[in-house]
């Protein structure tokens, strides 16, 4: 039987996940865009004179963008998890495995 309440809860959860994902992308673009502009010197005219302008001060920005991009890819994979049947089949196999193990333990003590 189709449960409308449960379906609505699942849809609301999915929308919440999507909103979080889109927010993650926007924050990634804004922050890393700003950092990249800082690294290439596009913002030098807006910075105070005491602010370091040498490019080697900003070498960490490339690593930051790379690490954050990897995290964003993982977030994407988590969001799209329902499209990967491998995980569902793996989960079902694991459940069956543990049920069989528990049945074996019960049979052993009878």
């Amino acid at each position: 039987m189709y449960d409308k309440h449960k379906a609505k809860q699942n849809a609301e959860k999915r929308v919440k996940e999507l909103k979080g994902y889109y927010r993650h992308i926007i924050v990634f673009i804004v922050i890393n865009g700003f950092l990249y502009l800082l690294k290439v010197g596009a913002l030098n005219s807006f910075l105070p004179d005491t602010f370091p302008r040498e490019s080697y001060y900003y070498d960490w920005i490339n690593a930051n963008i790379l690490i954050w991009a990897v995290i964003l890819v993982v977030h994407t994979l988590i969001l799209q998890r329902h499209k990967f049947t491998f995980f569902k089949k793996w989960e079902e196999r694991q459940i069956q495995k543990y049920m069989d193990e528990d049945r074996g333990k019960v049979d052993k003590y009878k």
Side-chain angles (χ1 to χ4, degrees):
M1 186 166 115
Y2 183 73
D3 184 10
K4 286 185 180 181
H5 182 67
K6 181 145 178 75
K8 184 176 181 185
Q9 283 180 334
N10 288 341
E12 288 173 349
K13 180 182 175 192
R14 181 87 174 128
V15 168
K16 186 177 179 181
E17 287 177 349
L18 280 171
K19 281 174 54 178
Y21 176 69
Y22 294 143
R23 191 176 308 117
H24 189 176
I25 291 174
I26 290 169
V27 170
F28 173 82
I29 291 170
V30 169
I31 291 177
N32 288 303
F34 172 78
L35 290 173
Y36 187 75
L37 290 174
L38 187 66
K39 179 181 166 95
V40 297
L43 301 176
N44 282 350
S45 60
F46 301 107
L47 299 175
D49 293 335
T50 57
F51 208 80
R53 294 181 182 348
E54 294 81 16
S55 65
Y56 61 84
Y57 279 107
Y58 306 109
D59 287 342
W60 59 272
I61 291 175
N62 291 337
N64 177 64
I65 292 172
L66 178 66
I67 292 169
W68 202 337
V70 168
I71 292 169
L72 193 57
V73 167
V74 169
H75 193 169
T76 303
L77 292 174
I78 290 171
L79 188 68
Q80 301 297 326
R81 68 188 175 274
H82 66 282
K83 293 185 180 180
F84 299 108
T85 58
F86 166 77
F87 296 116
K88 186 123 180 119
K89 290 177 184 176
W90 175 84
E91 186 177 301
E92 290 170 1
R93 286 194 313 265
Q94 292 301 314
I95 289 170
Q96 187 62 44
K97 175 182 151 186
Y98 288 121
M99 287 172 55
D100 292 344
E101 285 178 6
D102 289 344
R103 189 174 334 138
K105 290 178 185 176
V106 170
D107 291 343
K108 190 188 252 187
Y109 292 113
K110 283 186 177 182

